[in-house]
């Protein structure tokens, strides 16, 4: 990577690497926070438009600065810690959620070679880091020492563990086809994947059902509507965030939306070609890969918002039924089908 | 230098959080310290180049097993007085187990210092270009295939056993049958009757 080499040329081998990595981390994390602010605005606007409302339109032109006004507001508020709460863990929970939401971005390739940590086990790293995210919710629910957060934490733990199972199987079928756990390699394996023309595993009829399962599981994994039972306001006030205020609340909020963007990015990377254009046609490669990648993220975010605005919330038993009785068998069968197909075609029986 | 620093960092945190797992009074804190220990053990695995094992450790132990563990412990009604009351009763067995473990550690350390572990007979580390996962897969699915499948079979049996032991048939609930609900048509439930005035409806 030339960027790191430039730093190493004047800072020395180790120190240059350290500086370059720090700068790269900031180059991912700071725009990500800006993106989260804008995507919250977009979410509210889309949701409002589908409900024939105007949405935020007062702060700044077209209400564009609404998220920043909200951010400023929560920063100026007082952090309230309930007297019965477990103080240390109560404050640790939002930090865990936020940190985990940031560290997963280390392995996301934004373009050809544009990745902070190009590790062999990138996909497993993602799975590992996202399974850590559940601790923020559980700890906050327990440490709040209040019944609604506790219910919410129990729901969240069961929900995330359940859907991680089917996500795991979906990832296995992708990994089998791409022959790698490295996200950049997975994207490159999708080039001209179908009929030598379409870039993306999602265009493959054998993998398309997995793309659908992954999209829905991603909604459940990030506890977005229609699976937002962890913060079902009609039952649980605000779920695990009930006792939180000011920045500790904002960290949950930021982490949650950063996770939503991550899931959109994963949908794009695993099934729809990542930074590659949708079809393998030379003029389309003139557009920088990062623009393709971001536009795919935005399309998926629109789908997420669309679902949030239109689909009613699931009941808890329905959620569990979908995860264990429908997605788990389907994804398991699909792993079997995909590996069988590859066995016959790629590895010659 | 940085490797040594990382090793001592991870190792210290593993040992400290292991000790705190035992020492903390609150069981939930114990589980959280245990999770920290798992996590830092995964860091040690990364340091020795076993990144696949490290990720598996985090996914399986931290992400699934410890979550369920925490789940159970969170539900406990903790009574600190009662927790301490059993100390004398369990103290003896605790001491016994501690002695056995300490003895084993001493034996292991002694054997190692006598050169019992022939370092040249360790499994060969994966060669440079062969990835961790590929190397492991090649071994598991060729040399150790039967053992691997037997392990899978044992797990399957354990899973079925757990389900059989905990499953209970409840007669007093009416579970939702979604396909029945989807198949239901208006004429199954609704009837339009043009009822003459002054006569009752036959239901």
């Amino acid at each position: 990577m030339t960027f790191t080499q430039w730093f190493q040329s004047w800072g020395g081998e180790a120190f240059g690497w350290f500086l370059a990595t720090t700068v790269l981390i900031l180059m991912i994390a700071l725009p990500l926070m800006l993106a989260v602010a804008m995507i919250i605005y977009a979410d509210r606007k889309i949701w409002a438009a589908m409900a024939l409302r105007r949405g935020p339109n007062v702060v700044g032109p077209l209400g564009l600065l609404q998220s920043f006004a909200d951010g400023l507001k929560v920063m100026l508020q007082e952090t309230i810690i309930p007297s019965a709460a477990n103080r240390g863990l109560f404050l640790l929970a939002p930090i865990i959620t936020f940190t985990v939401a940031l560290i997963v971005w280390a392995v996301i390739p934004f373009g050809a070679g544009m990745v902070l940590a190009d590790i062999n086990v990138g996909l497993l790293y993602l799975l590992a880091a996202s399974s850590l995210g559940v601790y923020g919710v559980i700890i906050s629910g327990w440490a709040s020492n209040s019944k609604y957060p506790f219910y919410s934490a129990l729901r969240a733990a069961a929900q995330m563990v359940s859907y991680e199972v089917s996500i795991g199987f979906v990832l296995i079928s992708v990994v089998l086809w791409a022959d790698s756990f490295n996200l950049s390699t997975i994207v490159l394996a999708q080039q001209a994947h179908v009929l030598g023309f379409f870039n993306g595993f999602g265009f493959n009829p054998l993998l398309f059902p997995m793309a659908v399962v992954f999209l829905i599981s991603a909604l459940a994994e990030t506890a977005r509507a229609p699976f937002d039972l962890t913060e079902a306001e009609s039952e649980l006030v605000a779920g695990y965030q009930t006792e939180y205020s000011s920045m500790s609340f904002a960290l949950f909020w930021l982490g949650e939306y950063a996770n939503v963007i991550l899931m959109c990015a994963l949908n794009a990377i695993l099934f729809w070609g990542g930074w590659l254009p949708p079809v393998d046609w030379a003029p389309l490669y003139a557009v920088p890969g990062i623009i393709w990648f971001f536009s795919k993220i935005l399309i998926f975010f629109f789908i997420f918002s669309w679902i949030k605005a239109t689909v009613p919330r699931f009941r808890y038993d329905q959620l569990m039924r979908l995860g264990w009785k429908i997605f788990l068998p389907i994804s398991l069968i699909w792993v079997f089908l995909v590996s069988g197909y590859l066995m016959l075609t790629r590895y010659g029986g | 230098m940085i490797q040594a620093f990382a090793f001592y960092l991870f190792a210290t945190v593993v040992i400290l959080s292991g000790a705190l797992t035992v020492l903390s009074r609150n069981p939930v804190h114990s589980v959280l310290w245990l999770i920290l220990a798992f996590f830092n053990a995964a860091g040690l695995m990364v340091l020795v180049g076993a990144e696949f094992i490290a990720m598996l450790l985090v996914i399986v132990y931290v992400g699934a097993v410890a979550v369920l563990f925490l789940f159970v412990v969170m539900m406990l009604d903790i009574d600190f007085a009662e927790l301490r009351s059993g100390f004398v009763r369990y103290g003896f067995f605790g001491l016994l187990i501690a002695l056995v473990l300490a003895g084993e550690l001493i034996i292991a350390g002694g054997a190692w210092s006598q050169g019992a572990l022939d370092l040249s007979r360790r499994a060969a580390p994966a060669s440079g270009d062969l990835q961790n996962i590929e190397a492991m897969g090649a071994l598991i699915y060729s040399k150790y295939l039967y053992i691997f499948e037997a392990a899978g079979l044992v797990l399957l049996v354990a899973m079925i056993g757990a389900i059989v032991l905990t499953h209970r048939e409840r007669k007093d609930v009416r579970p939702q049958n979604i396909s029945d609900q989807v198949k239901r048509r208006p004429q199954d439930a609704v009837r339009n009757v043009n009822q003459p005035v002054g006569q009752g409806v036959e239901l």
Side-chain angles (χ1 to χ4, degrees), chain B residues 17-47:
Chain B
S17 47
L20 283 166
T21 308
V22 185
L23 293 178
S24 41
R25 288 208 187 133
N26 193 328
V28 174
H29 291 178
S30 284
V31 177
L32 291 173
W33 285 119
L34 183 68
I35 291 162
L36 190 64
F38 281 149
F39 197 70
N40 282 281
L44 288 176
M45 293 287 185
V46 171
L47 280 186

Side-chain angles (χ1 to χ4, degrees), chain A residues 26-309:
Chain A
L26 290 178
M27 275 169 64
I28 294 174
L30 297 181
L32 179 66
M33 285 301 102
L34 190 68
V36 165
M38 293 324 289
I39 219 116
I40 291 175
Y41 165 77
D43 198 25
R44 295 175 66 178
K45 270 292 194 198
I46 293 167
W47 202 9
M50 292 199 188
L52 296 181
R53 290 180 287 115
R54 283 174 190 274
N57 65 348
V58 174
V59 190
L62 298 169
L64 272 169
L65 299 177
Q66 179 66 47
S67 297
F68 300 101
D70 289 343
L72 198 65
K73 184 193 73 179
V74 292
M75 243 188 259
L76 296 174
Q77 281 173 337
E78 181 193 354
T79 305
I80 298 170
I81 302 176
S83 54
N86 193 316
R87 212 183 151 83
L89 290 180
F90 185 80
L91 290 176
L92 186 68
I95 298 174
I96 292 178
T97 304
F98 185 70
T99 314
V100 166
L102 283 186
I103 60 169
V104 284
W105 286 87
V107 293
I108 298 290
F110 294 94
M114 284 171 71
V115 50
L116 178 63
D118 198 16
I119 55 176
N120 287 337
V121 288
L123 207 52
L124 287 175
Y125 172 83
L126 271 175
L127 211 61
S130 72
S131 65
L132 287 179
V134 70
Y135 283 110
V137 180
I138 301 185
I139 293 175
S140 69
W142 183 79
S144 297
N145 207 354
S146 160
K147 58 186 149 194
Y148 295 123
F150 190 66
Y151 277 134
S152 162
L154 293 185
R155 285 185 178 187
Q159 175 175 342
M160 288 187 183
V161 171
S162 312
Y163 279 84
E164 243 158 47
V165 179
S166 57
I167 284 187
F169 282 122
V170 170
L171 295 186
I172 285 176
S173 48
V174 170
V175 165
L176 281 173
W177 215 298
D179 221 0
S180 172
F181 276 97
N182 182 304
L183 289 173
S184 303
T185 318
I186 289 176
V187 170
L188 287 176
Q190 297 178 43
Q191 190 160 20
H193 174 65
V194 178
L195 304 173
F197 186 60
F198 292 106
N199 294 333
F201 286 142
F203 294 107
N204 181 337
L206 194 55
L207 283 175
F208 179 74
M210 287 293 96
V212 176
V213 169
F214 186 75
L215 180 66
I216 299 173
S217 300
L219 286 171
E221 183 75 8
T222 52
R224 281 281 288 189
F227 305 112
D228 55 346
L229 285 135
T230 54
E231 45 203 278
E233 49 286 300
S234 53
E235 306 155 24
L236 296 180
V237 192
Y240 57 91
Q241 305 159 346
T242 306
E243 305 289 345
Y244 283 87
S245 59
S246 78
M247 273 318 277
S248 56
F249 175 75
L251 284 184
F252 272 127
W253 206 232
L254 291 172
E256 204 170 288
Y257 272 89
N259 270 334
V260 169
I261 305 178
L262 177 86
M263 278 300 172
C264 298
L266 269 187
N267 266 300
I269 288 172
L270 293 176
F271 288 103
W272 304 101
W275 70 79
L276 300 169
V279 293
D280 197 28
W281 183 48
L284 288 180
Y285 286 94
V287 180
I290 196 161
I291 291 181
W292 286 118
F293 184 54
F294 284 160
S295 48
K296 283 173 190 177
I297 292 182
L298 290 179
I299 288 170
F300 275 104
F301 187 76
F302 179 75
I303 294 175
F304 273 39
S305 295
W306 187 4
I307 293 171
K308 180 180 176 177

Side-chain angles (χ1 to χ4, degrees), chain B residues 33-147:
Chain B
W33 285 119
L34 183 68
I35 291 162
L36 190 64
F38 281 149
F39 197 70
N40 282 281
L44 288 176
M45 293 287 185
V46 171
L47 280 186
V48 296
E51 72 260 13
F52 182 58
I53 305 282
M55 292 304 152
L56 281 195
L57 193 67
V58 176
I59 293 171
V60 176
Y61 283 92
V62 180
V65 174
V67 170
L68 298 180
F69 216 65
L70 192 60
F71 212 88
V72 175
V73 171
M74 275 196 326
M75 309 267 206
L76 294 178
D77 189 17
I78 306 158
D79 185 352
F80 290 111
E82 202 176 331
L83 269 184
R84 254 173 263 148
S85 71
F87 187 77
V88 184
R89 201 146 49 97
Y90 300 122
F92 174 70
F93 290 103
L95 210 63
L96 203 69
I97 292 170
L99 277 177
V100 169
L101 285 179
E104 281 178 349
L105 275 180
I106 290 167
I107 291 170
W112 187 75
S113 65
Q114 294 293 313
L117 279 183
D118 192 354
L119 290 182
S120 64
R121 283 181 60 201
R122 284 185 309 180
S127 62
D129 15 295
L130 201 57
Q131 285 178 21
N132 231 289
I133 306 166
E134 290 173 11
M136 269 191 81
L139 265 181
I140 286 177
Y141 289 104
S142 58
K143 193 173 171 191
Y144 300 112
L145 178 66
Y146 291 111
I147 301 172

Side-chain angles (χ1 to χ4, degrees), chain B residues 151-168:
Chain B
L153 205 65
V154 169
L155 280 177
L156 180 69
V157 171
M159 188 179 82
I160 294 172
I163 292 171
V164 168
L165 285 177
T166 54
H167 184 71
R168 55 176 180 146

